[in-house]
Amino acid sequence: MRWSAGWYGNAGSDRRPAGGRAVRGLQGAWTCGWPAGQVRAVGGGPVVLAVIGECGAGDDRLRAALPVVRAKGWRALTRWPGSYLVLARSGDTLAVIGDLAGQHPLYYRTDAGGMWWSTAASALAALDGAPVDVTALAAHLALGQPDVLAARSLFRDVKRVPGGHLLLVGPDGAAVERYEPVTYPAVDLRRQAPVVRAALAQAVAARIDDRPVSADLAGLDSTTLACLAAQRGPVTAVTFADERLRDDDHAFAARTAAAVPHLGHHAVPGSAGTVYYAGLDDLSALPVTDAPNAYVVTASIKQAVLDTVTANTPGPGVHFTGAAGDAVLSAPASYIADLLRARRHRQTWRHARGHARLRQTSSLAVLARARPASRVDLAGAWRQTAAELRRPARDWIPQAQRPLAWTPLLASADWMTHDARQVLSTALDEAAGALSEAPVRLAQWSDRQDLARVGANTSGWRALALAGHGIELAAPFLDNEVIRACLAVSGDQRGAPGQYKPLLKAAFTSTGVVPGFVLDRTTKGGFNALAYAGLRDNAPVLRDLLGPSSHLAALGLVTE
């Protein structure tokens, strides 16, 4: 596992991370597992700037930013292409700045002598064996939105820096400050399209050097990245093409590879073992990660894809994935609640009709799902969810049929014990009372939470790729500047039902980068067949993981 850590204080500096390598110019800062080329520092003495990860700014550009560090213009240090952690010292003040999507999360804990910070909560918990924070784990399972209990990590006494915030450390102690605005000024889709295109192109370019390049080639998002990478040289493109999927990903991928120079296409046929939940009977075979992640469920599929990459490239390189493309290029129908709240009735009705046609339901049903969320703000929604947790578990119905909500309860909340639900409801009430700087629009909140969840999960996939194949995973849609460029377009424009991913189409039409037939595509591949097969094949293992003898049951989180 790759991580970074640091100490600020008078006592305790004799401790350091096992295997840690000191960051040049910053006393009391270390990296673990990061290659030397991805840890760079400039400056010295009272003004130092270090970046850890894939940062598109060269050393000259970093040195040019030292006056910005001296002036404490922290947000400007997050605007280069790539995905990276920033350490910036200005006099006695140290700023530790993660990214917007949680690829480089931040945690800290204090004691009488000073403060430890780290990108790994488990490393800070290991300082004294801090146990799991059961309430935070319950929120993780039942809500799936990282910023609900914003300052709580999954470990007791280890604090979390919420998304869009940075950690400031100085002689007076530690403070968490927001560096990213809660909302972005809205920009029209057509006007923003070239900005999105430039941000994506720069994000891809920041990862390409002399390493072999590979890419997923499936949906619109991954195909766009593969085409951008192919403009710079050969790309080994792979498509998971299990016959049980019965979608048109492979057909579009083959056609794209034939039309785009430098794309060498390889299909991954799949096998009986490439299904969801495979391999969970031996968790020791999976790399250690700092938090639960969804890619453990699909590890066998990802490993098959990377096996094909390895077999068709001269050595470990960088692999592009379209993860988070859905989160930034489109928007869920929850934005209809925002239209209702703003009393934009004509537009609301038009969008409701479009979504009704897509889902083969009525416009009134779409509006009925959206109306409750339009009548409450985020704090009020949390209080409603807390009240729901105090009642008996609901009868099961598909999530898509439940009313839209700011923080919807997942089905796993219905498996929880009465005591766990009560504790979580109390924490939600407390969070609602402490809430400040909340977004006004539901789509603005859900966009950020979706990104944080996908970012945390993608870190798990990155660990799989590194541990098993030495391959660097690149997810440009999770880059700060790509997120900013895309989310400046409102949800009702990104998610309008008349066209699939209109922002992507506007960004790349007639540019010669992505074939027109790709941008005109209206279908999307799905893995339902492999999920059902995995449930059937691995049901005994799942019962062990979730049943009476499981860790979750021992913590009092699930009913026996």
Side-chain angles (χ1 to χ4, degrees), residues 288-335:
V288 174
T289 55
D290 196 49
N293 72 88
Y295 286 109
V296 168
V297 171
T298 58
S300 65
I301 297 170
K302 299 305 181 188
Q303 287 167 348
V305 168
L306 295 173
D307 284 344
T308 300
V309 170
T310 300
N312 291 280
T313 53
V318 58
H319 182 80
F320 286 93
T321 170
D326 287 343
V328 296
L329 294 172
S330 56
S334 56
Y335 74 81

Side-chain angles (χ1 to χ4, degrees), residues 441-468:
R441 293 185 179 181
L442 169 57
Q444 293 168 336
W445 166 257
S446 57
D447 284 342
R448 301 286 181 95
Q449 297 311 299
D450 288 347
L451 282 167
R453 183 173 57 250
V454 174
N457 289 337
T458 303
S459 295
W461 185 2
R462 179 172 290 107
L464 282 170
L466 281 170

Side-chain angles (χ1 to χ4, degrees), residues 349-373:
W349 181 250
R350 185 171 68 252
H351 282 253
R353 282 188 300 173
H355 282 283
R357 284 194 295 270
L358 287 174
R359 290 159 178 78
Q360 298 182 331
T361 187
S362 70
S363 301
L364 291 177
V366 172
L367 292 173
R369 281 195 72 217
R371 189 166 287 112

Side-chain angles (χ1 to χ4, degrees), residues 97-412:
I97 315 172
D99 65 312
L100 296 178
Q103 298 284 277
H104 302 272
L106 278 179
Y107 307 93
Y108 66 103
R109 63 182 304 174
T110 58
D111 59 32
M115 188 210 71
W116 281 99
W117 63 263
S118 179
T119 58
S122 56
L124 297 185
L127 287 171
D128 62 357
V132 169
D133 182 332
V134 177
T135 303
L137 181 56
H140 180 90
L141 295 173
L143 307 174
Q145 293 185 341
D147 287 335
V148 176
L149 304 186
R152 294 176 76 157
S153 78
L154 293 178
F155 297 93
R156 195 182 304 166
D157 300 325
V158 177
K159 295 180 180 179
R160 172 179 177 266
V161 178
H165 291 69
L166 55 84
L167 182 64
L168 276 184
V169 193
D172 296 329
V176 174
E177 294 187 3
R178 176 175 286 280
Y179 72 87
E180 193 70 7
V182 175
T183 60
Y184 300 124
V187 183
D188 180 74
L189 183 147
R190 293 288 171 185
R191 178 182 167 192
Q192 191 69 357
V195 179
V196 171
R197 181 173 65 249
L200 276 173
Q202 291 167 8
V204 170
R207 271 86 171 190
I208 295 180
D209 44 32
D210 57 354
R211 295 172 295 180
V213 178
S214 59
D216 293 333
L217 190 62
L220 269 68
D221 310 333
S222 60
T223 298
T224 299
L225 300 179
C227 291
L228 282 168
Q231 288 194 312
R232 296 178 170 273
V235 176
T236 300
V238 291
T239 307
F240 189 73
D242 192 297
E243 62 181 11
R244 292 167 290 185
L245 297 180
R246 298 183 181 179
D247 60 30
D248 53 1
D249 274 0
H250 183 259
F252 270 94
R255 187 178 174 190
T256 302
V260 177
H262 306 305
L263 276 183
H265 184 226
H266 303 272
V268 183
S271 66
T274 49
V275 293
Y276 280 39
Y277 312 108
L280 295 183
D281 54 333
D282 182 14
L283 297 180
S284 65
L286 296 170
V288 174
T289 55
D290 196 49
N293 72 88
Y295 286 109
V296 168
V297 171
T298 58
S300 65
I301 297 170
K302 299 305 181 188
Q303 287 167 348
V305 168
L306 295 173
D307 284 344
T308 300
V309 170
T310 300
N312 291 280
T313 53
V318 58
H319 182 80
F320 286 93
T321 170
D326 287 343
V328 296
L329 294 172
S330 56
S334 56
Y335 74 81
I336 292 178
D338 297 326
L339 296 178
L340 280 170
R341 184 192 306 275
R343 300 181 183 276
R344 294 160 63 179
H345 299 304
R346 185 174 299 177
Q347 187 178 8
T348 302
W349 181 250
R350 185 171 68 252
H351 282 253
R353 282 188 300 173
H355 282 283
R357 284 194 295 270
L358 287 174
R359 290 159 178 78
Q360 298 182 331
T361 187
S362 70
S363 301
L364 291 177
V366 172
L367 292 173
R369 281 195 72 217
R371 189 166 287 112
S374 73
R375 295 174 172 174
V376 67
D377 61 8
L378 182 57
W382 287 355
R383 292 188 179 98
Q384 289 180 353
T385 302
E388 187 172 357
L389 283 165
R390 288 191 286 269
R391 297 192 289 268
R394 314 160 296 183
D395 292 333
W396 184 86
I397 62 172
Q399 196 76 31
Q401 295 179 17
R402 297 191 185 278
L404 294 174
W406 288 78
T407 300
L409 280 178
L410 305 178
S412 48

Side-chain angles (χ1 to χ4, degrees), residues 495-517:
Q499 183 177 307
Y500 185 50
K501 296 191 176 174
L503 179 55
L504 189 69
K505 184 168 185 177
F508 286 95
T509 294
S510 302
T511 63
V513 176
V514 183
F517 64 82

Side-chain angles (χ1 to χ4, degrees), residues 5 16-17 19-32 36 39-41 50 52 87:
R16 61 180 293 168
R21 181 174 4 186
V23 178
R24 183 174 61 82
L26 287 170
Q27 183 179 3
W30 303 272
T31 62
C32 299
V39 182
R40 295 182 290 135
I52 301 167
L87 306 179

